[in-house]
Amino acid sequence: MTGSEASVAPLPVLQWAQEHGEVGGVRTSHAQLTSVLRAEGIPVSYVDTGSARRAASMLPRLTHRSLHLLHLTRLWRAMLLAPVFALLSGRTVLVLHSGSTGGQVARMTAWRRRALVLALYAYDEIWAVNDEIGAILPAALRARITVVTPFDSSAAPVPSPYERQPHALALATNAGLAHYNAQLGIDTVRRVRERWSDATLTVLAYGHESPEVEALRRLGEVEPWLTVAFDSSADEVSAVLSRVGTFLRPTSWDGDSVIVREAQAAGATVVASDTAPRPAGVVLAALDAEALAAAVTDGGPVSDGSGLAQTTLADAVRSAESAATRR
């Protein structure tokens, strides 16, 4: 960056996200980004997409030149908001958090896929937690993609002082949705207990109340080794991850999971299904209770981190700010 560029004040950042939304990886990710940027003196505000009233209060700000970050897991919302982002002043970025991006595109009809490609031209940049989407985009759009990790260790909670319990395990599930495979995780720990009779499992459930979450609670009432927590605070999650020996991630598909990164940062061993790219150091196993249990007790192949990025959202913001300065 030249001296004249360095003297230019950074663009204010407007995060289009659910500032007060449900607990989970997306909220953790943009909250960490806010913390890092504000510490660097970059002003950050929210267009709260979870509240029409709070979002409307930001309308006067939308005429100002800013760096706009739209955080989404569903591509149809990016299509819906594309006309708005095409008119905004400054630089616009679509941040895709979900590992289901490729699957979402695969399920689209041909005409909807063409509409998606056209809609994505409204965004100056596309940041994604994996490079799946790049394979279905024309070259002109592919050049706009940056693969990022949604986790920033510089903003992660400091590990708690709790004593590590080697035979304690934890897993996370959003509202008990099927692809998180919470029941498979429970079946895995049943098998682990055949080797480690003192093994326990904490299920960190979040999102919305659902019959699946209630079923997990009922199971926890009859299994003394199983605890189900719902919508735990960031400090409570950090305490669990700092205490357990193993964090289980038996998902059918995944992005660059924030809680997997959190678990590693807290010092837990992560055992995950081999259905998606995993951070370096994660122990991999087939999506099967016996295979996962064996990986917990005996270890297994370890991911080298291929397919995931080290570029943080804050790194990407700095690059976007520099690009905006040059325009």
Side-chain angles (χ1 to χ4, degrees):
M1 182 179 293
T2 67
S4 59
E5 288 174 332
S7 65
V8 176
L11 283 180
V13 173
L14 284 183
Q15 298 227 62
W16 295 62
Q18 294 189 37
E19 183 180 11
H20 306 284
E22 66 183 32
V23 173
V26 176
R27 181 175 170 183
T28 298
S29 179
H30 65 67
Q32 286 183 345
L33 177 59
T34 294
S35 175
V36 171
L37 295 181
R38 286 178 175 167
E40 295 179 5
I42 299 176
V44 182
S45 301
Y46 277 84
V47 178
D48 193 339
T49 56
S51 166
R53 179 182 58 82
R54 287 194 292 267
S57 70
M58 294 297 292
L59 287 176
R61 296 282 300 275
L62 301 188
T63 60
H64 301 165
R65 193 163 181 269
S66 302
L67 176 60
H68 298 270
L69 308 183
L70 175 60
H71 296 267
L72 294 178
T73 58
R74 298 299 175 191
L75 285 170
W76 68 265
R77 292 176 177 164
M79 297 169 67
L80 184 67
L81 288 168
V84 175
F85 273 70
L87 297 174
L88 292 173
S89 176
R91 193 163 183 84
T92 59
V93 180
L94 173 62
V95 188
L96 295 172
H97 286 265
S98 180
S100 68
T101 298
Q104 292 178 54
V105 175
R107 290 188 296 271
M108 289 181 176
T109 60
W111 74 265
R112 187 174 289 274
R113 195 175 302 185
R114 288 193 295 270
L116 169 66
V117 169
L118 290 174
L120 292 182
Y121 277 99
Y123 304 94
D124 295 314
E125 299 187 38
I126 301 168
W127 302 346
V129 296
N130 58 46
D131 57 6
E132 284 182 327
I133 193 172
I136 55 90
L137 295 180
L141 279 173
R142 206 173 301 146
R144 304 184 186 198
I145 296 174
T146 299
V147 180
V148 297
T149 175
F151 178 73
D152 195 322
S153 60
S154 69
V158 176
S160 68
Y162 294 101
E163 182 179 354
R164 183 79 58 189
Q165 299 175 21
H167 293 176
L169 297 92
L171 64 79
T173 177
N174 183 348
L177 293 174
H179 68 273
Y180 286 89
N181 294 319
Q183 185 59 56
L184 175 61
I186 292 170
D187 293 342
T188 296
V189 178
R190 290 188 196 279
R191 286 163 174 77
V192 168
R193 285 175 56 80
E194 295 172 4
R195 295 277 302 274
W196 299 344
S197 60
D198 60 340
T200 62
L201 175 64
T202 299
V203 175
L204 297 167
Y206 61 96
H208 61 272
E209 292 282 2
S210 67
E212 291 78 12
V213 170
E214 185 55 34
L216 290 171
R217 286 196 183 99
R218 289 197 300 270
L219 188 57
E221 291 171 357
V222 298
E223 296 287 9
W225 51 269
L226 175 62
T227 300
V228 179
F230 186 75
D231 270 1
S232 301
S233 69
D235 286 344
E236 289 167 337
V237 170
S238 179
V240 170
L241 298 180
S242 296
R243 177 176 56 82
V244 300
T246 303
F247 181 77
L248 272 180
R249 189 69 173 177
T251 47
S252 299
W253 50 261
D254 223 334
D256 188 346
S257 168
V258 169
I259 198 165
V260 165
R261 298 274 193 178
E262 286 182 298
Q264 286 189 304
T269 296
V270 177
V271 173
S273 55
D274 58 4
T275 56
R278 301 296 186 182
V282 170
V283 179
L284 303 174
L287 190 60
D288 170 84
E290 289 289 353
L292 287 163
V296 170
T297 58
D298 301 325
V302 175
S303 171
D304 64 2
S306 296
L308 297 180
Q310 297 301 316
T311 300
T312 67
L313 288 173
D315 292 333
V317 165
R318 296 178 194 111
S319 296
E321 290 273 2
S322 178
T325 300
R326 294 193 300 268
R327 290 179 67 176

